[in-house]
Amino acid sequence: MTELAKTYNPGEVEQRWYAHWERAGLFRARPNPEKTPYTVVIPPPNITGILTMGHVLNNTIQDVFVRWKRMQGYETLWMPGTDHAGIATQNVVEKSLAGEGTNRHALGREKFVARVWEWKKEYGGTIIRQLRRLGATCDWERERFTMDEGLSRAVQEMFVRLHEKSLIYRGKYIVNWCPKDHTAISDDEVNYHEVQGHIWHIAYPVTGSDERAIVATTRPETMLGDTAVAVHPSDERYRHLIGKTLTLPLAGRGIPVIADESVDVAFGTGMVKVTPAHDPNDFLICQRYNESAPVERRMEPLSIFDVSATTNDLVPEKYRGLDRFDARKAVVADLTAGGFLVKTEPHTHNVGRCYRCDTVIEPYLSDQWFVRMKPLAERALAVVQRGEIRFYPDRWVKTYEHWMTNIRDWCISRQLWWGHRIPVWYCVGDDHCTLECGKPIVSRTKPDACPHCGSGNLRQDEDVLDTWFSSWLWPFSTLGWPDDTPELRYFYPTDTLVTGPDIIFFWVARMIMAGLEVTGGIPRPDGSPRTGDGSIIPFRNVYFTGIIRDAQGRKMSKSLGNSPDPIEVIDEYGADALRFTIAYLAPLGQDVLYSNDRCELGRNFANKIWNAGRFLLMNARETAASPSGPEGLDAHSDLADRWIVSRFNSTAIALNDALGKFDVNTAARILYDFLWHDFCDWFIEMLKGRIYGDEPAAVKTAVMGRAMFMYEETLKLLHPFMPFLTEELWQNLRRRRPSESIMVDAYPAGDPARVDRGTERDMGFVQECINSIRNIRGELSVPPSREITLLVRFTDPAMSGVLVKYEGYFRRLARVSEIRKHGSGKKPPQSASAVVPGGEMFIPLGGLIDLDAERNRIEKELVRATAMFSNTEKKLRDTSFVDKAPPQIVEQERKKLDSFKSTMEKLKSSLGNIG
RNA sequence: GGACGCUUAGCUCAGCUGGUUCAGAGCGUCGCCCUUACAAGGCGAAGGCCGCUGGUUCGAUCCCAGCAGCGUCCACCA
């Protein structure tokens, strides 16, 4: 048996075991009627992405759950895959084309899309490769991509079904338009930022009068697209103007004054310029006006910008071809020159920007496809409110409710080339085409001919679908939907979704809607969950992670350069160290302040565990021991043995409990504390006393065997957090009983019958005594090299017995050479003293004692004890406390009082004869 | 404007619907130790009116209200 290295070296170990696990097919999941399924779908990372600390947090937590459940015996599927990320990917490829001096238009659509596929092939798997470094146990053989054939079919099927139910419609509306990406984006893809801008007051002359209507606007350039000015119908100031015509400055057109309830009389001048093609509210005003206006007076929105937000031919010649911001300058200059600008005021308002490229969004009138969300949202809201889907932490339910009850229709068409082409065709028509044509033909497959005129001359809708239109199908499309597959029957619904709250609307909410809408037809094995109306939820639990921030609390961002590369961290500290640190630092739903040096926590912990294993292996050889198995739990056991067995079991229980409550952070702490403090600091140190002592060989073998067994069991507990390290140690411990992997061994549940209160109490007492001695040694600078004699005086014979019985532990842990009873009377001369439960301890130090230091030490104790005493006394003198508090609490306080009193007396007595 | 979260030691955070000597851990700092697993370690110590103000209660770090600061999300009146 070769010895382990002195420090843990993760690099080689990680590569080796990951390859082994994959070769052995341990990540694979297959429908298995003998087992209960447990399913997690990965939030598919963008193919443009590289691994970030956010992914590390996310995927570590998923892997912890997945490994835990797998060890618990579930048929565990972690479904991996990637997202095609429409805009992001198209941008990346366009950028590389620009580097070659060309662009997508020069290439043409088909070649461009082919080019993106090439790019995807080359770079799209980056994150997936990186996740392996982290130790993720996804079933890689099932890896999916949102644009692969099956998922594309799911997208088409979804579109057609929703269209059949009239939940998808097409129409001309104001949408959020990104002038850089040349596409519409959804309301949720706009980020608003506050900016210091201006508000301009502009005078519009009333035709045939000297009067002028003053409007206030933050976007003067859009006046070129004004089609009216609106006032509140009951605003006395302007009522006489309703129906009159104004002359639009610079353009010279006549526009009407109309009435609309939405005008706020208190804001600005109470008169609003109406630009229906470039402002969502104005668009609504226009619609309302047109509903009641006679046909000949209806307003036609006037679009003055092209797709790049550059002015078009519908504005006066002078202003054509200007970028919107240049147009603003030109318009303001001319308004000023023409005497139309009444005043300019500073004004703070919010400006929307594209979430992808940060370009200022232009409200833009265009033909788009929408999903009618209300009907979908109602059911999706209900399943969360009924608790069929639970959020962790549950405060996100409120956010979800708010969005769901104020939901707006979802613009799903994108004017991009990379994405799922909308499954809609239009008849371009032949000569004999009738008027029916031009209507959209929505179809799962390309139609041969127009159903109305028979023309074969069909043109597919140019647009693609929003990326999220494929992501919202992810939990079931990855399992084969719309086909009826064994996987779908077995693994759906999934169990836990782990994701960031930033995509609660984009993704989580929509998956719930989609799942409820279309998966109701999936046949279920008996007893599996279904909601009241027969539909199936896509997952039972949603775990919302926090956000990883830097040490200063700032968000990680490319521009700040504060995003650590997790791969570099893994190279430096090891994947286990990173995983454990992240899990330890991340309380449920709280943001995490992270910097690389924090991984020392995990690295040091890994090394600590490693060395505990090293110690056991070295001594296993000496004592010819091997892990005993459960049958060896009680052989030749003494306090330390019984204690570690008890502690192990309560730890396992608490750990499973924490994981069950999605409290990963607590679980990590439980493991850390048990392993470092209970197992290493106390148990191993106590173990040394026995295996280095003169026990019979058989006893040593039994004791070591049990220690190794407990250690093995602990490695199992730790495995979901630190898979590589635990596997390596496990295999080393098990050389005589080869095992394929720790990752398929049973996860210890913890046995309440093995938790022994009496043992823990005795051990607590021993620990307290040892701590007291250590305190004295530290405070009085008694070096470890100097052994001491311990004199004890106990009123409680049981405690005294425990102490004497475990003298050996004092020898090793407190460097006590001998324990003797001290009779009544004064404390021994030139000795330090300590009060412990049930008695006193004295340490004669001879000439070595620093009397001042000892006096200080005891005085400090006395101050503390006195404070405790008077607090308790005060409490007990308070009649309302004695009358109203529960009797057991009062009794407890009385006992405390006695104890403090006795401690004080002992301390005073010691102080009295300090010399 | 609305909603939510956070505020505990120098730093980062634990404190389980109020009572166990409850005020804790890690890092950092300061002592002492290269003790035959581990210096990425061991032992000890110093450091805090638990954000502020009220309320509920016999009793509040914990529950309630208000306030302040920080952060996030949503809405958005030109």
Side-chain angles (χ1 to χ4, degrees), chain A residues 347-406:
Chain A
H347 181 68
T348 305
H349 62 132
N350 286 321
V351 170
R353 290 174 180 272
C354 173
Y355 85 126
R356 274 288 155 210
C357 68
D358 213 37
T359 302
V360 173
I361 288 301
E362 188 61 40
Y364 193 69
L365 190 59
S366 53
D367 272 312
Q368 304 288 347
W369 289 93
F370 296 87
V371 175
R372 214 179 294 283
M373 298 297 265
K374 273 215 167 63
L376 298 176
E378 280 162 12
R379 298 162 73 190
L381 178 59
V383 294
V384 172
Q385 285 177 331
R386 284 200 301 260
E388 286 165 36
I389 296 177
R390 290 185 190 280
F391 289 175
Y392 298 86
D394 68 352
R395 59 186 150 85
W396 290 108
V397 170
K398 264 198 165 177
T399 308
Y400 179 82
E401 281 173 347
H402 184 257
W403 191 71
M404 282 302 199
T405 47
N406 293 285

Side-chain angles (χ1 to χ4, degrees), chain A residues 828-849:
Chain A
Q830 303 219 307
S831 65
S833 66
V835 179
V836 290
E840 275 176 290
M841 302 191 301
F842 305 104
I843 303 171
L845 290 170
L848 209 80
I849 190 164

Side-chain angles (χ1 to χ4, degrees), chain A residues 412-430:
Chain A
I412 52 170
S413 42
R414 296 289 179 275
Q415 289 65 50
L416 302 171
W417 287 355
W418 174 243
H420 301 96
R421 197 80 179 259
I422 292 180
V424 170
W425 285 261
Y426 305 93
C427 177
V428 176
D430 296 335

Side-chain angles (χ1 to χ4, degrees), chain A residues 835-836 861-862 865 898-908:
Chain A
V835 179
V836 290
E861 300 269 317
L862 185 57
D898 289 346
S899 155
F900 293 141
K901 192 177 177 191
S902 136
T903 300
M904 281 167 67
E905 280 162 2
K906 286 170 184 159
L907 288 171
K908 276 181 186 157

Side-chain angles (χ1 to χ4, degrees), chain A residues 770-842:
Chain A
I770 289 173
N771 286 340
S772 291
I773 301 167
R774 284 172 169 177
N775 173 277
I776 288 169
R777 298 192 77 116
E779 293 281 286
L780 302 186
S781 302
V782 181
S785 53
R786 179 174 166 123
E787 295 202 325
I788 53 173
T789 301
L790 189 66
L791 301 174
V792 297
R793 175 163 66 192
F794 277 90
T795 47
D796 183 343
M799 292 291 101
S800 171
V802 169
L803 201 143
V804 170
K805 185 170 176 193
Y806 297 113
E807 183 175 348
Y809 294 142
F810 285 79
R811 190 182 303 281
R812 173 159 283 278
L813 274 62
R815 302 196 63 76
V816 169
S817 58
E818 182 186 10
I819 299 183
R820 285 207 309 263
K821 295 203 175 166
H822 183 69
S824 56
K826 287 215 263 185
K827 95 180 182 48
Q830 303 219 307
S831 65
S833 66
V835 179
V836 290
E840 275 176 290
M841 302 191 301
F842 305 104

Side-chain angles (χ1 to χ4, degrees), chain A residues 639 642-651 678 754-767:
Chain A
L639 180 67
R642 290 194 301 273
W643 177 73
I644 202 65
V645 169
S646 175
R647 285 292 305 135
F648 171 84
N649 282 285
S650 40
T651 297
D678 291 344
R754 280 279 178 188
V755 177
D756 179 350
R757 289 234 162 263
T759 294
E760 297 206 12
R761 194 193 54 234
D762 286 356
M763 178 68 183
F765 171 71
V766 170
Q767 286 174 311

